[in-house]
């Protein structure tokens, strides 16, 4: 991470301190809403980083070296997530190579993991659909977006 001023460990420690001291009962509605939106973006960006790192580790063969059945099984043990969630994260990261705008939106925290997965898997089949699907993600429900992506595939 060239040029970054804070390490991931510094950000994690700061976030943990912030969450530990968060007195949600004292927050006004507007502040609670703002914080929810901010934490949502942080969560989405973190999911993007984890997906991309997981693919890098999978490409390096960590699951095989660890004796795990699959990359998704290895990742599930490392993260505490379900194997299916991990399989989806790895699939998303692979598909992002063909979906540069989706990759950027996911990294910035604009898209959730499920949105990024749906869009990137459709873009692999239909590269010209990326702009439309990203626009849909801004205004439509996840279900509507997934349905449209399924129609494209």
């Amino acid at each position: 991470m060239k040029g970054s001023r804070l390490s991931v460990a510094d950000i994690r420690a700061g976030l943990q301190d912030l969450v530990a001291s968060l007195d949600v009962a004292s927050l006004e509605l507007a502040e609670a809403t703002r914080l929810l939106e901010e934490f949502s973006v942080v969560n989405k960006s973190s999911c993007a980083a984890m997906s991309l790192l997981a693919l890098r580790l999978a490409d390096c063969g960590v699951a095989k070296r660890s004796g795990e059945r699959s990359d998704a099984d290895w990742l599930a043990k490392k993260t505490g997530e379900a194997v299916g969630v991990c399989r989806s994260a790895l699939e998303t990261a692979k598909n992002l190579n063909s979906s540069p705008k989706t990759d950027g939106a996911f990294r910035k925290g604009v898209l959730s993991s499920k949105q990024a997965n749906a869009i990137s898997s459709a873009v692999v089949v239909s590269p010209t659909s990326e702009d439309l699907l990203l626009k849909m993600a801004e205004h439509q429900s996840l279900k509507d977006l997934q349905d449209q992506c399924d129609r494209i595939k």
Side-chain angles (χ1 to χ4, degrees), residues 102-114:
T102 303
D103 180 38
F106 192 26
R107 288 174 187 247
K108 289 178 185 172
V110 174
L111 298 174
S112 70
S113 295
K114 290 185 178 188

Side-chain angles (χ1 to χ4, degrees), residues 48 50-56 87-98 103 106 117 120:
M50 287 183 64
S51 292
L52 295 165
L53 289 166
L55 181 61
R56 168 73 173 128
R87 193 175 298 112
S88 178
L90 290 162
E91 174 187 304
T92 300
K94 285 179 189 170
N95 291 340
L96 289 175
N97 290 324
S98 303
D103 180 38
F106 192 26
N117 180 268
S120 64

Side-chain angles (χ1 to χ4, degrees), residues 8-9 18 21 24-25 28 30 32 34-35 38-39 45 52 65 73 77 87 91 94 105 107 121 129 133 140-141 143:
V8 174
L18 175 65
S21 67
V24 296
E28 296 291 330
R34 186 187 70 74
L35 285 172
E38 292 290 343
F39 278 107
S45 289
L52 295 165
R65 283 190 232 152
D73 286 299
K77 284 190 178 172
R87 193 175 298 112
E91 174 187 304
K94 285 179 189 170
R107 288 174 187 247
S121 63
S129 66
L133 295 172
Q140 302 291 321
S141 70
K143 171 97 171 75

Side-chain angles (χ1 to χ4, degrees), residues 47-96:
C47 287
M50 287 183 64
S51 292
L52 295 165
L53 289 166
L55 181 61
R56 168 73 173 128
L57 292 165
D59 289 346
C60 291
V62 294
K64 186 175 182 179
R65 283 190 232 152
S66 301
E68 292 298 330
R69 270 184 289 187
S70 71
D71 295 322
D73 286 299
W74 178 86
L75 184 57
K77 284 190 178 172
K78 283 292 185 190
T79 63
E81 291 287 349
V83 173
V85 170
C86 294
R87 193 175 298 112
S88 178
L90 290 162
E91 174 187 304
T92 300
K94 285 179 189 170
N95 291 340
L96 289 175

Side-chain angles (χ1 to χ4, degrees), residues 118 136 142-152:
M136 270 191 83
L142 175 61
K143 171 97 171 75
D144 289 344
L145 176 64
Q146 288 171 322
D147 288 348
Q148 179 64 30
C149 291
D150 288 343
R151 284 189 288 276
I152 289 171

Side-chain angles (χ1 to χ4, degrees), residues 21-32 35:
S21 67
L22 188 60
D23 180 9
V24 296
S26 69
L27 295 174
E28 296 291 330
L29 178 63
E31 181 66 0
L35 285 172

